[in-house]
Amino acid sequence: MEKYRYKDSGIEWLGEIPEHWRADRLRDICIINDNVLSNKTDKDYTINYLDISNVNNLGIVDFHEIKSLTFEEAPSRARRIVKKNDTVISSVRTNLQAVANINFDIENLICSTGFFVCKPKYNSILDERFLYYFLLTEYSKDFFFSMSVGVSYPAIDDYKFSSINIPLPPLTEQKAIAEYLDKATAKIDRIIAIKEEQLVKLQHHQENKLTELLTLGINPDAFLNSSEINWMNQMPSHWRRKRLKDIVLLKSGNSITSTAIDKTGTYPVYGGNGLRGYTETYTHEGFFPLIGRQGALCGNINYAQGKFYASEHAVVARPIQNCDVIWIGELMKIMNLNQYSNAAAQPGLSVDRIKQLYIPVPPKEEQLLISKVI
C-alpha cells in the first residue's frame, strides 16, 4: 500500500492531513437540528424521550432510561426528532462529552434540546459513521468544550459548534475507516464485557469471604452455636449476641445548606452517599463509620476520619463499647441496611429501627484480627 503524503490542513488544531483529503466546516457538509416537534403537537402524542443523562462519554445509550411519554408529560426541552443513523452530541454540559450514534430503530425518538442532532447533508460526501467517530474524538470534544460558555453548566451554541473543521477523506476511505473502528470497538466491547463479568465474580467471592470472616471469625476450628440472629445462622460459641445500639450510638448529623459546601475548604462534608464537598466548620472529630440515611442508596457505609462535618443525611456510628471501628463498619455493610428503608418516593432509614438489630460480637482482640485480615 502506497504511503500517504501529507499537507498542512491550514487549521491549527488539526495540523497535517493526507494530501488527497480536504477539510470542511461542519456546517457545510452536515445538517444540524433540522427536525423538531411543534409546540402545537397533540398532547396525547407518544414519544420516546432521550435525555442527555442517558448517554455516557463512550457513546453508549442506556436504553432502559429512554422513557415513553405523552407530549403533555414530556419536559419542554423534548423537541428534537432523531432518526436512525443520526448522531446526537451534547450542546449543554459539554464537559460530560455525551456523543451517540443512533444505529437502532425506535419509533418517535425525541431528544432534549441539550443535544445537537447531526446527519450528513450529502451522503455522497459524508458517511454517517465517519461523522460519528469524528465527533467522538478527543479533538472534537475538547474543541466544543473550549468554545462553551458557563462554568457549572457549560454550553455551546449551534454556530460555534458548526464552525469546527472536519478532515474529509474520499467517501470510500471514510467507510473503510468507520468499518475498521466498528470492528475495533466491538472487540473492545467484548473485552470489557468479559472483564466486567470477571469483576462481578471476584466481588461476589470477596463478599462471601467478608461475610464468612464477620460471622464465623478467623478460626476454622471454632465451636459454633446457633446465632439466634435472623440474618445469619451460626457464630462461634464464645461470641455474644447484642443489639447494634449496645455497641454504637447512632445519631444523624446536622443540617447544612448547599451554599455552605464548596469544592475546596478546610473540613470535608459527608452526606448520605459519602463526601459532598468541604466547609469551614465541623461537627465531629475522630474515626467513625457513617450510614447513609436518605435516598436510594440509604444504608451504605462510608468512613470519616479527623475533623469533619456530618450532614443530616449521614448517621454517625460512635462506638459505646470498646469496639474496633473497621470491624463494626464492615459488619454493618454485610447487614444490607438498605433493606430496612421505608418504601416512600424518597427512601430513608429509620434510625430507631436499625438500633434494635442484633449483631454477633466477638471479643475486641478478635475484632482487631478480623479487621487486619479485611
Side-chain angles (χ1 to χ4, degrees):
M1 181 178 177
E2 186 179 350
K3 289 185 177 180
Y4 281 166
R5 294 180 180 178
Y6 291 86
K7 65 181 179 182
D8 185 0
S9 66
I11 301 158
E12 184 178 355
W13 71 269
L14 190 55
E16 291 188 333
I17 58 174
E19 201 172 54
H20 63 292
W21 291 19
R22 70 177 203 255
D24 284 348
R25 289 180 308 182
L26 194 62
R27 72 170 68 102
D28 295 329
I29 58 173
C30 190
I31 298 171
I32 302 168
N33 301 337
D34 66 329
N35 292 318
V36 295
L37 286 179
S38 165
N39 288 333
K40 297 180 180 179
T41 301
D42 189 297
K43 65 179 183 179
D44 294 325
Y45 181 75
T46 301
I47 68 169
N48 289 298
Y49 179 55
L50 175 69
D51 196 5
I52 190 170
S53 59
N54 306 155
V55 181
N56 69 16
N57 62 353
L58 297 176
I60 299 171
V61 178
D62 188 344
F63 293 96
H64 300 293
E65 292 298 321
I66 297 177
K67 297 186 174 91
S68 183
L69 305 167
T70 65
F71 183 75
E72 184 178 39
E73 294 170 333
S76 59
R77 62 182 179 271
R79 289 292 183 271
R80 292 183 174 156
I81 299 171
V82 185
K83 301 291 186 183
K84 186 176 180 180
N85 296 323
D86 286 350
T87 292
V88 295
I89 180 169
S90 53
S91 60
V92 297
R93 287 188 286 173
T94 48
N95 54 312
L96 297 181
Q97 301 183 328
V99 185
N101 180 249
I102 309 302
N103 58 352
F104 47 83
D105 278 314
I106 292 186
E107 189 177 358
N108 298 340
L109 184 62
I110 306 296
C111 73
S112 78
T113 52
F115 284 116
F116 291 126
V117 181
C118 309
K119 67 183 68 178
K121 188 178 288 186
Y122 309 106
N123 286 327
S124 58
I125 295 176
L126 179 62
D127 179 70
E128 299 105 335
R129 296 290 290 169
F130 182 83
L131 170 65
Y132 161 65
Y133 281 121
F134 171 74
L135 294 176
L136 192 61
T137 63
E138 292 302 315
Y139 291 114
S140 300
K141 291 177 177 181
D142 289 346
F143 174 85
F144 299 139
F145 184 57
S146 69
M147 299 296 283
S148 300
V149 176
V151 179
S152 59
Y153 208 75
I156 185 172
D157 62 44
D158 55 356
Y159 183 81
K160 289 179 180 177
F161 171 78
S162 64
S163 297
I164 191 171
N165 287 276
I166 175 172
L168 206 64
L171 188 64
T172 53
E173 225 170 308
Q174 292 178 42
K175 290 181 179 294
I177 291 169
E179 184 178 349
Y180 172 82
L181 291 173
D182 282 342
K183 291 177 180 177
T185 53
K187 183 177 180 180
I188 292 170
D189 288 344
R190 288 195 298 272
I191 293 171
I192 291 173
I194 291 169
K195 293 299 180 185
E196 286 177 342
E197 185 179 351
Q198 290 173 342
L199 285 171
V200 168
K201 290 179 179 178
L202 179 60
Q203 183 180 1
H204 186 63
H205 174 72
Q206 289 176 323
E207 288 171 352
N208 288 340
K209 291 297 292 183
L210 188 62
T211 300
E212 186 178 306
L213 272 172
L214 290 162
T215 58
L216 299 177
I218 57 175
N219 180 7
D221 299 321
F223 185 75
L224 303 178
N225 281 340
S226 172
S227 69
E228 298 181 3
I229 298 172
N230 63 1
W231 56 271
M232 56 180 284
N233 295 321
Q234 294 180 305
M235 68 179 184
S237 59
H238 64 288
W239 290 16
R240 295 294 175 260
R241 183 185 74 135
K242 295 186 179 182
R243 293 187 189 272
L244 192 58
K245 69 177 184 177
D246 299 326
I247 303 299
V248 288
L249 173 66
L250 300 177
K251 187 175 181 181
S252 298
N254 296 354
S255 62
I256 184 171
T257 62
S258 58
T259 55
I261 302 173
D262 295 315
K263 291 183 179 179
T264 58
T266 308
Y267 304 110
V269 180
Y270 290 94
N273 296 326
L275 183 66
R276 287 184 59 190
Y278 297 84
T279 193
E280 296 309 310
T281 59
Y282 67 92
T283 57
H284 295 76
E285 183 176 3
F287 181 37
F288 305 105
L290 306 179
I291 308 170
R293 189 178 67 84
Q294 208 73 38
L297 298 179
C298 64
N300 71 90
I301 306 295
N302 290 285
Y303 293 96
Q305 190 165 14
K307 295 177 179 178
F308 64 93
Y309 195 108
S311 82
E312 72 275 23
H313 292 157
V315 177
V316 181
R318 185 188 295 271
I320 299 172
Q321 293 192 4
N322 183 22
C323 75
D324 181 68
V325 171
I326 296 294
W327 164 76
I328 189 62
E330 296 304 304
L331 183 67
M332 290 190 295
K333 278 185 184 180
I334 70 165
M335 290 170 69
N336 184 22
L337 297 179
N338 182 267
Q339 67 182 300
Y340 303 107
S341 66
N342 59 41
Q346 176 72 348
L349 282 183
S350 166
V351 175
D352 288 335
R353 185 179 182 188
I354 61 174
K355 280 180 181 178
Q356 306 300 325
L357 298 175
Y358 282 103
I359 60 172
V361 181
K364 177 67 179 293
E365 59 272 17
E366 268 190 80
Q367 295 175 26
L368 292 169
L369 288 172
I370 290 168
S371 295
K372 188 176 180 180
V373 173
I374 292 172

